[in-house]
Amino acid sequence: QVQLQESGPGLVKPSQTLSLTCTVSGGSISSGSYYWSWIRQPAGKGLEWIGRIFTSGSTNYNPSLKSRVTISVDTSKNQFSLNLSSVTAADTAVYYCARAITGTTKFDLWGQGTLVTVSS
Amino acid sequence: QSVLTQPPSVSAAPGQKVTISCSGSSPNIENNYVSWYQQLPGTAPKLLIYENNKRPSGIPDRFSGSKSGTSATLGITGLQTGDEADYYCGTWDSSLIAGVFGGGTKLTVL
């Protein structure tokens, strides 16, 4: 079955860029009518949608993060990635990658999540 | 401040029924499908309800969803201690052109 796995540094210094990759296994990232999202959750807080990408490369971002976020996709590697620039302690969170069916917010598949701490 | 508003907590006894509300507005809940997610401690969220009231395969019919206007509701009957979790509503916001979630509701089964 299809699975998602986040990877990347667990510690990022303030003002630097947070970079994470989500690897899709057990199926092709290009098959089906899906889009691929990043969602984060600070400790003890709720879910925050960061953005999404279609395999065509089309993206949408959370307006509150738009100036700092870039999501990209590499279909040859079955991966999509998140870059978040100029990070501060407020960006410390568990970051999830997730799959949703196009035209919905039905996130039917999630990665296990990865904790990223912003600290010097 | 979340775009969608949920009560911070709800509680009920085992075997009882509980409802969790999710309040939004025209650009989000009123004009888009709502999904609900269950998050057990230390785990990723799990899809419970999609398209307002549909259950994915494997989700028991104790869980139900409904929507009316700018609000949605998750219902859970026959509460079990294993239902203790955080529950989130989510939808698309056509004005923000972004996904949005509620702040989450912690369910305690007394």
Side-chain angles (χ1 to χ4, degrees), chain B residues 75-107:
Chain B
I76 311 173
T77 60
L79 279 172
Q80 303 172 0
T81 56
D83 296 331
E84 284 201 337
D86 294 323
Y87 292 83
Y88 294 90
C89 57
T91 187
W92 186 255
D93 191 297
S94 305
S95 177
L96 296 173
I97 313 179
V100 291
F101 290 101
T105 298
K106 182 176 181 61
L107 169 62

Side-chain angles (χ1 to χ4, degrees), chain A residues 39-43 91-96 112-116:
Chain A
I39 296 162
R40 71 180 182 178
Q41 184 174 36
D91 296 308
T92 295
V94 174
Y95 285 76
Y96 295 101
Q112 66 184 22
T114 187
L115 174 62
V116 179

Side-chain angles (χ1 to χ4, degrees), chain A residues 35 37-41 45-51 62 96 98 100 105-107 110, chain B residues 1-6 22-24 28-29 34-39 45-47 87-93 96 98-105:
Chain A
Y35 65 84
S37 280
W38 288 97
I39 296 162
R40 71 180 182 178
Q41 184 174 36
K45 297 188 178 181
L47 302 171
E48 181 179 31
W49 186 86
I50 298 171
N62 186 323
Y96 295 101
T105 48
K106 177 188 176 184
F107 293 105
W110 296 68
Chain B
Q1 197 77 354
S2 302
V3 172
L4 306 180
T5 301
Q6 297 181 233
C22 176
S23 178
N28 43 69
I29 289 181
V34 176
S35 300
W36 288 91
Y37 304 86
Q38 177 193 59
Q39 187 177 34
K46 173 184 176 182
L47 180 66
Y87 292 83
Y88 294 90
C89 57
T91 187
W92 186 255
D93 191 297
L96 296 173
V100 291
F101 290 101
T105 298

